[in-house]
Amino acid sequence: MASISVPEGSIPILHHYPMSPFAEKARLMLGFKGLDWQSVYIPSVMPKPDLVALTGGYRRTPILQIGADIWCDTALIATVLEHLKPAPALFPDALKGAARIVAQWADSTLFWAAMGYSLGPKGAATLFANQPPEAAQTFAADRGAMSSGMTRVRPGDAASAYRSYLRRLAHMLHGQPFLLGDVPCIADFSAYHPLWFTRNLVPPLAGILDATPEVLAWMDRMAAFGHGKPAKLGSSDAIAIAAAAEPASLTGEVFQDDHGIALGSRVTVAAESFGTETTEGVLLAATRTHYTLERHDDRAGRLHVHFPRVGYVLREVRA
């Protein structure tokens, strides 16, 4: 398997915005690792020209930049952070399989239940209470476009599911401080961020958490990790950093062929659902865990853009 190449001493750059729950997951993982990092704020809705200059089309939040390497999706970002600083571990050896399975459930099923509940009419009104009416309308239109074709959970059904999932988390926490034992792992960070959104961004709806005091105590333990040591950076400066750098060399075995698409082919990669904008480039690697595309941008230069295999669709571009 091709290892993830992260040059020693690299300072990661997180492209994010404050109210993004997945960005909170990334910020908290950076805090858990005690890392210095650079913080680039991006718009919460399209257009995002500086972000797209780096990704080639992908617009979900956050992305992690290291020089001219662009890492998409927090599932892959977590792996990059583990390579950047192995301890404390997000993937403890004894928990790797279970932790990834719980994390995938939390990033999808739990997340959509939490969002369906938290962004109902009352939650949306709270989130945009101090903004002009057009801000809420623009956000709703943007997220509607991102979720085109998806089956969205209605608020009442989402509330029922959310309550059940919170009880299940409470059962997991019975007699132990973290979801899978005495130490936190990727499962904790994935389960935390949708609950953070409810508790911190729509507090009038946070009473749903009160029935599970074990979950609230766990959330306090998670929040205590903080966000590490961020330094502000402008988006144009991040693009200049990419332009001045060369992508990291690919090492190890770079090809697991599940699609009949040869390395060197022109391809697109897109999320399976929600935010399905495509990134097009030359396929440099298709490892057991991720894809790497090479692309060029007039401002950012030569880039390697990386995506997880799970949750993403690879297609060949045919003439």
Side-chain angles (χ1 to χ4, degrees), residues 90-247:
L90 289 165
F91 303 94
D93 286 340
L95 301 175
K96 281 183 179 178
R100 288 187 185 276
I101 288 170
V102 174
Q104 187 176 3
W105 165 81
D107 283 341
S108 53
T109 305
L110 173 62
F111 174 80
W112 285 114
M115 291 302 105
Y117 168 78
S118 300
L119 287 176
K122 185 177 180 180
T126 299
L127 193 63
F128 294 99
N130 299 316
Q131 300 186 44
E134 56 269 23
Q137 295 165 5
T138 300
F139 184 84
D142 182 82
R143 293 309 188 266
M146 287 186 76
S147 59
S148 177
M150 283 182 62
T151 300
R152 298 292 297 271
V153 185
R154 296 177 301 175
D157 297 327
S160 298
Y162 198 12
R163 294 182 200 279
S164 292
Y165 298 153
L166 289 170
R167 288 195 297 271
R168 293 174 192 179
L169 293 174
H171 293 158
M172 294 174 72
L173 290 164
H174 184 69
Q176 59 187 31
F178 298 101
L179 293 179
L180 297 183
D182 292 333
V183 295
C185 64
I186 189 59
D188 295 276
F189 292 91
S190 293
Y192 174 81
H193 70 92
L195 279 59
W196 164 87
F197 188 93
T198 304
R199 190 184 198 185
N200 292 75
L201 297 189
V202 288
L205 296 181
I208 196 170
L209 301 166
D210 292 343
T212 50
E214 302 96 334
V215 171
L216 285 170
W218 163 78
M219 290 184 72
D220 290 340
R221 288 192 288 276
M222 293 297 296
F225 292 125
H227 292 165
K229 303 167 185 175
K232 289 184 179 180
L233 184 71
S235 59
S236 59
D237 296 320
I239 290 174
I241 288 171
E246 285 294 323

Side-chain angles (χ1 to χ4, degrees), residues 55-58 72 267-270 277-281 293 295 305 307:
T55 67
Y58 180 86
C72 302
V267 298
T268 62
V269 173
E277 291 83 0
T278 59
T279 293
E280 182 173 331
L293 274 57
R295 56 175 302 273
V305 187
F307 298 90

Side-chain angles (χ1 to χ4, degrees), residues 5-6 38 42-43 71 73 105 127 157 166 169 183 194 198 220 226 261 277 282 303 308 313:
S5 298
V6 181
Q38 293 179 297
I42 62 175
W71 303 90
D73 197 293
W105 165 81
L127 193 63
D157 297 327
L166 289 170
L169 293 174
V183 295
T198 304
D220 290 340
I261 300 174
E277 291 83 0
V282 175
L303 303 159
V313 178

